[in-house]
Amino acid sequence: MAQSRNARNGYQPQMDIATGISSGLAASCLIAQVNGVLWDMANPLEGDCDLKLCKFDSDEGRDTFWHSSAHILGESLERVYGCKLCIGPCTTRGEGFYYDAHYNDLTLNDTHFEAIDKQAKKAVAEKQAFEHIEVSRAEALEIFAENKFKVEIINELPEDKTITVYRCGPLVDLCRGPHIPNTSFVKAFACLKASASYWRGKADREGLQRVYGISFPDSKRLKEYQHMIEEAKKRDHRLLGLSQELFFFPST
């Protein structure tokens, strides 16, 4: 759900406008859309505009929520395993998010999820703000000097491209944004699965590990989602075929 209004609030952050409407709205607004462009809620309005405040139930709010959750996942992976982060978007299928990273010889599986989830919950409890920062190319290369994957991305950007990073607790990551106001909006977080991937999706490049996650603004939705996944597994024809001995494989 999104709430629209014609704003005439010079240099006033969208969060202040949401608070002026109601404290409940401010507590659930994740992102603003100003004249059709998504903005961080902390950005000040600089003149008359068409303003839409987006909650989780809107496509814009949900995608931003999961994009920000990917940063929480990235922070957790980096702090727990010291990996080199690559990319971490919301998924193209519109259900959750993932983060690709390079771990050297470590192979992740669901036994690692408890430690990742624990670190994510710590980041949420710290109410870490998502801080938008513009940097020069030289500054970006210095920030990510120890991460060859980020350096490769930076070097491929146009010379006149404004480079933006977002700070979230100890994590500083290349990102165009926008993001939710802070990590405390993510009330429920869980890792879903881990799989192998390749940098840039090319088999001749470095091998990576991809961790998928899901998050919601309340724990009830997470429980409902997890229940839905479990029910779907019960109806999976591949698992049913094996359990009912409908599939047979010759011994070799």
Side-chain angles (χ1 to χ4, degrees):
M1 179 180 295
Q3 182 159 345
S4 300
R5 67 179 294 178
N6 186 265
R8 305 178 70 88
N9 297 274
Y11 301 97
Q12 184 177 11
Q14 291 89 280
M15 184 59 78
D16 290 353
I17 295 173
T19 302
I21 297 172
S22 76
S23 58
L25 179 64
S28 58
C29 279
L30 303 171
I31 199 73
Q33 193 173 59
V34 181
N35 294 331
V37 179
L38 293 178
W39 280 25
D40 294 319
M41 291 291 289
N43 283 1
L45 299 177
E46 300 179 358
D48 295 352
C49 64
D50 180 61
L51 173 65
K52 183 166 76 170
L53 302 174
C54 303
K55 301 181 182 181
F56 183 82
D57 292 330
S58 68
D59 291 340
E60 298 87 354
R62 187 168 52 253
D63 286 350
T64 301
F65 188 90
W66 283 335
H67 180 196
S68 298
S69 297
H71 279 240
I72 296 174
L73 174 59
E75 176 187 332
S76 302
L77 295 172
E78 192 173 66
R79 296 187 77 171
V80 176
Y81 298 110
C83 57
K84 301 297 183 184
L85 298 177
C86 298
I87 59 169
C90 62
T91 63
T92 54
R93 66 176 183 268
E95 187 177 277
F97 50 91
Y98 68 84
Y99 218 116
D100 282 348
H102 188 260
Y103 296 84
N104 292 320
D105 298 327
L106 177 65
T107 300
L108 293 176
N109 55 52
D110 54 8
T111 65
H112 297 91
F113 292 170
E114 183 178 354
I116 299 169
D117 289 346
K118 182 178 180 180
Q119 186 61 54
K121 290 175 182 176
K122 181 179 178 181
V124 168
E126 291 174 355
K127 199 176 180 179
Q128 300 170 355
F130 284 91
E131 181 185 0
H132 173 272
I133 305 169
E134 293 187 1
V135 297
S136 66
R137 177 179 295 271
E139 289 171 329
L141 290 171
E142 181 179 357
I143 291 170
F144 298 102
E146 301 300 318
N147 187 324
K148 66 178 182 180
F149 304 101
K150 302 290 187 182
V151 168
E152 183 175 323
I153 294 173
I154 294 167
N155 284 332
E156 291 177 353
L157 295 174
E159 289 291 336
D160 59 349
K161 176 74 173 179
T162 298
I163 298 176
T164 61
V165 300
Y166 271 80
R167 185 192 306 278
C168 172
L171 176 70
V172 177
D173 204 0
L174 275 177
C175 187
R176 290 175 296 181
H179 281 284
I180 62 177
N182 62 68
T183 56
S184 72
F185 282 71
V186 181
K187 305 297 185 186
F189 179 104
C191 293
L192 296 177
K193 65 178 180 177
S195 63
S197 62
Y198 293 102
W199 175 234
R200 297 293 175 88
K202 298 179 179 178
D204 60 344
R205 296 298 306 268
E206 295 85 345
L208 310 175
Q209 296 288 312
R210 174 173 296 180
V211 178
Y212 289 90
I214 192 74
S215 61
F216 294 97
D218 59 76
S219 58
K220 179 182 177 182
R221 296 197 210 197
L222 176 59
K223 291 177 182 177
E224 290 173 346
Y225 177 85
Q226 291 172 328
H227 176 73
M228 179 189 70
I229 295 299
E230 288 303 314
E231 290 299 309
K233 288 180 180 178
K234 294 177 184 178
R235 298 189 297 271
D236 189 325
H237 69 277
R238 294 167 298 181
L239 299 179
L240 286 172
L242 290 173
S243 65
Q244 298 179 20
E245 299 183 346
L246 299 177
F247 302 155
F248 296 92
F249 300 95
S251 58
T252 56

